[in-house]
Amino acid sequence: MDERASLLEQGNIVESGETRMGQEMHTDVTGIVQDIILGAADGLTVPFALAAGLSSAFSESRYIIVAVLSELAAGAISMGLGGYLSGKTEVDHYKTEKRREEHEVIHQEDDEIAETLEIFREYGLSDEQIAPICEHFKNNHEAWVEFMMKFELQLDKPDDMQPVYSALVIGGSYLLAGMIPLLPYLIIGDAVTALKYSILFTLVALFIFGILKVGQGDPCSGASLIQPLNLVSSQIASHCSNASVKNQSKVLRQPNALKAGVGGSYLLAGMIPLLPYLIIGDAVTALKYSILFTLVALFVFGILKSKVLRQPNALKAGVETMVTGAVAAAAAFFIARLIPT
């Protein structure tokens, strides 16, 4: 603390290039690992749940292959685009807040000084010690803005290419992980026999995945090894839909009420594209209504999300969300049409 206070009194926070580079590398690697975990967790569980459920209805693997490949295409695209939009939102949010800070240090200088004093007081510095720092910031607005972004808003500058990296890593890890439960169906024609091997492959993969999560410092520790297996075990027992395992990488670490909210919202939202098929017997006609209902729901969801996240352009957010879903659904549809059955 004494060394840091001394440096602050001089109006500079000294940080070597080596240390800065090490922090950036650590941040980048951590972000990539988190993206891999997010994509692989869903890629292992969702296609498996779908294949397990269909295995109770179809005896031939070829029908399950078509369904799972379609889901993999849609899931990889959807999650990849979702990762891109999420990263882009983070970048845009940072730029918006930075512009606001740039305006405030010029036009609301007294308020910014008061906020700066409050930040340094939390580190035990007196007003006399802080005064030279404030004078330095008055003559160096760029440093002042960066300081306020980091210490007032708790925002680190994101990499402008991070949205692209996230899209590729999340989508790619989802696709690769999803091939593990599908692999037996590609080799074995009988769906029931293929399911047994799919269970084995998926359990082993999830166990290894849990170990890797612990190796990356996952605070769930041993629970990371057991909970994914419990999720798959429940699917084996019930052959139910994939609603209860979607986004399990996030849900496992949340309070029970929030877990229920995530699972319930996923289930309710999933009923929107399914509803026309429950009412209309003809699949082609039901598909048309399903497309309409889903596009409207995605557009509304995008607008609501922008309001919650305080994004400046709600209409743009609605269109982006709608396009994401449309592209994913179109990919799944055309892949299913291209696969010979």
Side-chain angles (χ1 to χ4, degrees):
M1 175 65 74
D2 293 339
E3 180 182 358
R4 182 177 178 83
S6 176
L7 292 173
L8 290 174
E9 287 177 10
Q10 299 173 26
N12 294 286
I13 301 177
V14 179
E15 185 177 38
S16 69
E18 182 179 355
T19 302
R20 182 183 297 273
M21 182 179 297
Q23 290 177 341
E24 290 176 353
M25 289 177 63
H26 175 74
T27 302
D28 292 344
V29 171
T30 301
I32 292 174
V33 171
Q34 290 175 345
D35 288 342
I36 292 174
I37 289 174
L38 177 60
D42 279 7
L44 282 170
T45 53
V46 175
F48 170 80
L50 176 61
L54 292 176
S55 295
S56 63
F58 298 98
S59 60
E60 296 184 43
S61 295
R62 57 178 179 166
Y63 299 111
I64 298 171
I65 292 172
V66 173
V68 174
L69 283 178
S70 299
E71 194 285 327
L72 280 176
I77 292 174
S78 177
M79 293 195 68
L81 288 176
Y84 174 83
L85 293 177
S86 177
K88 186 173 181 295
T89 298
E90 182 181 352
V91 172
D92 291 343
H93 175 64
Y94 182 88
K95 291 179 178 178
T96 299
E97 292 298 325
K98 185 176 182 180
R99 286 194 296 268
R100 182 176 65 81
E101 285 295 334
E102 289 171 344
H103 178 272
E104 290 179 352
V105 297
I106 296 175
H107 301 284
Q108 297 177 334
E109 186 178 274
D110 292 341
D111 293 337
E112 291 298 293
I113 290 177
E115 292 173 357
T116 302
L117 288 169
E118 187 64 29
I119 292 171
F120 280 116
R121 284 167 184 161
E122 294 178 359
Y123 287 91
L125 275 70
S126 66
D127 289 357
E128 291 76 15
Q129 292 173 311
I130 303 171
I133 303 174
C134 292
E135 289 300 320
H136 167 75
F137 280 153
K138 287 180 181 180
N139 298 318
N140 192 339
H141 287 169
E142 182 178 353
W144 198 359
V145 169
E146 290 184 2
F147 173 83
M148 298 302 286
M149 293 293 293
K150 186 174 182 64
F151 289 94
E152 180 194 13
L153 302 179
Q154 304 294 316
L155 293 176
D156 292 321
K157 183 178 180 180
D159 186 347
D160 289 339
M161 288 299 295
Q162 186 59 40
V164 177
Y165 299 150
S166 292
L168 295 175
V169 172
I170 293 176
S173 59
Y174 182 94
L175 188 62
L176 291 176
M179 292 301 296
I180 295 175
L182 177 63
L183 184 60
Y185 295 94
L186 297 173
I187 301 172
I188 303 171
D190 179 62
V192 176
T193 304
L195 174 61
K196 297 176 182 178
Y197 286 96
S198 180
I199 292 171
L200 176 62
F201 290 0
T202 306
L203 288 176
V204 171
L206 283 168
F207 185 77
I208 295 174
F209 175 71
I211 293 175
L212 295 177
K213 284 177 66 180
V214 173
Q216 291 298 327
D218 193 320
C220 292
S221 187
S224 295
L225 306 180
I226 302 302
Q227 289 173 316
L229 302 183
N230 290 338
L231 287 169
V232 174
S233 299
S234 68
Q235 295 302 323
I236 296 170
S238 63
H239 286 192
C240 65
S241 69
N242 61 3
S244 62
V245 295
K246 184 69 172 176
N247 287 330
Q248 58 90 15
S249 61
K250 292 182 178 180
V251 174
L252 288 176
R253 298 167 63 179
Q254 295 173 342
N256 289 332
L258 193 53
K259 292 179 185 179
V262 173
S265 61
Y266 181 86
L267 184 62
L268 290 175
M271 292 299 297
I272 295 175
L274 178 62
L275 184 60
Y277 295 95
L278 298 175
I279 301 173
I280 304 171
D282 179 59
V284 176
T285 304
L287 174 62
K288 297 176 182 178
Y289 285 98
S290 179
I291 292 172
L292 176 62
F293 291 177
T294 305
L295 290 178
V296 171
L298 286 169
F299 182 74
V300 173
F301 173 75
I303 292 177
L304 294 177
K305 182 180 68 172
S306 72
K307 297 296 184 181
V308 172
L309 298 178
R310 297 179 180 179
Q311 296 175 343
N313 195 331
L315 183 61
K316 179 182 177 182
V319 172
E320 286 179 342
T321 304
M322 183 175 64
V323 170
T324 299
V327 171
F333 178 81
F334 285 112
I335 285 178
R337 292 291 296 269
L338 290 174
I339 300 175
T341 58

